[in-house]
Amino acid sequence: MANKLIVLSVDSLFDEDMDQLAGLPNIGRLIRRGSYVRGGMRSVYPSFTYPAHASIITGCWPEAHGIYHNERLNVGGPSPGWYWFHRDLKRETLLDAAHRAGLATACVGWPCMGGAQNVDWLVPEIWPPTAEEDPRPVLASAASPDMLAPGGVLERHWHKLRKTKQPHMDHMMVGCACDIIRRYQPDVMFIHLSHLDHTRHANGVHGPAPEMAVIQNDDWFGRIEEAAMDAGVYDQTNFAVISDHGHLAVKRMFNPNVLLAQAGLITLDDDGEITGWRAYCNSTSLSCQVVMKDPGDDETRAELEALLTRMRRTYEYGVEAVYTKEEVLAEQHLDGAFAYVLEGARSTSFGAACTGPAIVTPDNSDYKFSVSSHGHLPHKGPQPVFLVAGPDIRPGVALPRQRIIDEAPTFARILGFPLPQAQGRCMEGLLKDK
């Protein structure tokens, strides 16, 4: 019988946090008794939460699993829908494969897993468009049965939630995860927490607030370990603490849609609302996906390419590169419903405004428009961590940099089943011989 696996993803935890982590009581103990990847893991492009977590749990690049943005395109809309659901994935997940292998599966707060049929105990990451709306109906629609019933796992911890704000959301998620471990002892469990990412967006890459958020996540990991001890499965459990992307400081924001509107590629009414468009820049924060309404419109393509070239050549706009769809597919394994990708330079992120100045300061009105963000090419800046310990892990190993698509094949090997669709490879050096 294979040993168990609990994977905790701490959103935006990265290699520059390692010195702090080593001194903390819970994750520090994990580091001392286990192994890690030195210098972190190569993420995906864009280095965004949903594309990265889809890659972690499938072992595939975005070109294969189909999640290329956190949000669905919603031109001019204030509250775009996200890729909340398992049905949005074009590849099976490690949890699908584990279920097929006869293992009991659990998932708490993991992106793109709403409504997953092969998860026995599922608390999804899915929220209504505004914080004022009651989240229960949408959560109930995407969770496994009875989570919100009287005495159900989610109902028991609902009181910890304050609308959909952090750190309250993560308090609730950790309570649910610990309850599932104590009640059901799943064979494999994936958990995602995002308080640290929210903190960095609002306060900056480093500083007292992110340091306190790291400490909070150490406490949450300790509670998860304690739940495994209470359930009598700690010694049979492999624990992994991982993350999805780094962060970079943002000092200014470029609104390329202002230029598209001036060029007639976006049309606006007297109130500045979009009434029509031929091209639109969909921000991924430190990069931007440029969408054409009709990719076969050669006239629009010529106008758009001329404008993108001018953006690239104008230093003040902070555009490091303009990539074609074909280039990012070949170089970054990224595919999606866009025609071009803009990469930011010199602490520049991309806004969504169609009116007003082209260059503004970040306003923290949205995670994409904050003083610290991501979405950049994955080789830049701090790298996401991979820490692991347990009965199947060699202690004291420090592998050179790996890729987040290598995580699912490694987890599958620990659990004792193949993952043939994965584009990544097992990190053999971390594992004991079986």
Side-chain angles (χ1 to χ4, degrees):
M1 181 69 178
N3 289 307
K4 297 180 183 294
L5 172 69
I6 296 176
V7 178
L8 172 63
S9 173
V10 180
D11 203 303
S12 91
L13 185 69
F14 41 70
D15 57 334
E16 293 183 6
D17 299 316
M18 283 294 289
D19 286 346
Q20 182 186 4
L21 292 172
L24 295 176
N26 302 306
I27 299 178
R29 182 175 63 249
L30 179 80
I31 294 170
R32 289 189 295 276
R33 72 186 185 92
S35 294
Y36 67 100
V37 172
R38 184 189 302 111
M41 308 289 287
R42 184 195 189 278
S43 191
V44 299
Y45 192 45
S47 50
F48 243 29
T49 297
Y50 276 49
H53 280 86
S55 287
I56 290 168
I57 205 165
T58 64
C60 295
W61 297 114
E63 64 181 359
H65 61 60
I67 307 299
Y68 58 93
H69 198 297
N70 288 350
E71 305 164 3
R72 298 179 181 279
L73 180 66
N74 184 23
V75 174
S79 300
W82 287 46
Y83 288 99
W84 302 118
F85 294 99
H86 180 274
R87 62 174 179 260
D88 296 321
L89 292 163
K90 296 179 180 178
R91 293 290 184 273
E92 75 167 6
T93 70
L94 181 134
L95 293 178
D96 294 319
H99 188 271
R100 189 170 59 250
L103 302 183
T105 58
C107 185
V108 176
W110 198 272
C112 307
M113 291 298 289
Q117 297 298 306
N118 292 329
V119 177
D120 298 302
W121 303 286
L122 171 62
V123 178
E125 177 171 285
I126 178 170
W127 308 105
T130 68
E132 285 67 38
E133 294 182 49
D134 182 1
R136 289 179 186 241
V138 69
L139 268 168
S141 73
S144 53
D146 300 325
M147 283 286 135
L148 275 163
V153 167
L154 190 50
E155 179 64 27
R156 273 175 44 83
H157 298 277
W158 190 259
H159 67 280
K160 299 174 182 176
L161 196 63
R162 301 294 183 272
K163 295 187 177 179
T164 54
K165 303 296 185 183
Q166 289 290 6
H168 311 293
M169 284 170 55
D170 282 1
H171 276 301
M172 184 187 75
M173 293 295 187
V174 170
C176 290
C178 292
D179 224 1
I180 290 169
I181 293 167
R182 290 189 175 97
R183 289 191 191 192
Y184 307 116
Q185 300 89 53
D187 296 308
V188 53
M189 182 179 213
F190 279 70
I191 309 162
H192 169 240
L193 303 177
S194 56
H195 172 49
L196 175 59
D197 182 61
H198 283 237
T199 302
R200 286 192 148 121
H201 279 301
N203 297 277
V205 183
H206 298 293
E211 288 176 5
M212 288 303 299
V214 170
I215 292 170
Q216 178 67 79
N217 276 276
D218 181 75
D219 176 70
W220 284 329
F221 177 66
R223 296 185 192 192
I224 291 166
E225 286 189 307
E226 288 173 5
M229 294 175 192
D230 292 344
V233 297
Y234 179 84
D235 291 337
Q236 295 80 46
T237 301
N238 298 282
F239 293 90
V241 174
I242 66 171
S243 57
D244 51 352
H245 54 70
H247 262 250
L248 293 172
V250 176
K251 297 181 180 178
R252 61 182 186 166
M253 192 162 62
F254 171 43
N255 290 313
N257 287 324
V258 169
L259 302 188
L260 268 65
Q262 292 171 355
L265 294 169
I266 296 173
T267 55
L268 308 172
D269 63 19
D270 292 341
D271 295 322
E273 300 296 323
I274 295 175
T275 58
W277 63 284
R278 290 184 288 149
Y280 182 80
C281 291
N282 191 24
S283 172
T284 42
S285 199
L286 299 183
S287 63
C288 181
Q289 296 171 357
V290 186
V291 184
M292 292 181 61
K293 191 169 188 177
D294 178 5
D297 183 345
D298 292 338
E299 180 179 347
T300 294
R301 186 176 291 273
E303 292 179 53
L304 178 60
E305 286 190 351
L307 182 56
L308 296 179
T309 299
R310 178 158 68 88
M311 291 180 191
R312 171 67 184 86
R313 291 175 176 173
T314 304
Y315 180 86
E316 290 77 10
Y317 294 150
V319 177
E320 178 179 296
V322 178
Y323 298 108
T324 65
K325 179 184 181 76
E326 294 74 21
E327 287 170 337
V328 292
L329 177 59
E331 297 174 16
Q332 301 296 334
H333 306 283
L334 173 64
D335 196 9
F338 54 82
Y340 304 90
V341 174
L342 309 182
E343 174 70 11
R346 300 182 300 279
S347 302
T348 300
S349 69
F350 294 90
C354 298
T355 60
I359 302 294
V360 297
T361 56
D363 57 14
N364 280 8
S365 62
D366 182 90
Y367 72 97
K368 300 186 296 294
F369 316 139
S370 57
V371 297
S372 175
S373 200
H374 46 97
H376 48 284
L377 285 165
H379 68 270
K380 293 181 177 179
Q383 301 294 299
V385 301
F386 185 89
L387 317 170
V388 62
D392 295 306
I393 306 303
R394 293 178 180 175
V397 175
L399 289 186
R401 183 166 296 168
Q402 307 288 306
R403 308 165 301 174
I404 64 172
I405 63 167
D406 299 328
E407 296 178 22
T410 304
F411 296 145
R413 181 70 58 83
I414 290 171
L415 293 167
F417 56 81
L419 201 63
Q421 57 129 42
Q423 295 172 301
R425 58 178 180 267
C426 176
M427 294 180 278
E428 302 276 0
L430 294 173
L431 307 183
K432 293 178 180 177
D433 295 330
K434 289 193 176 183

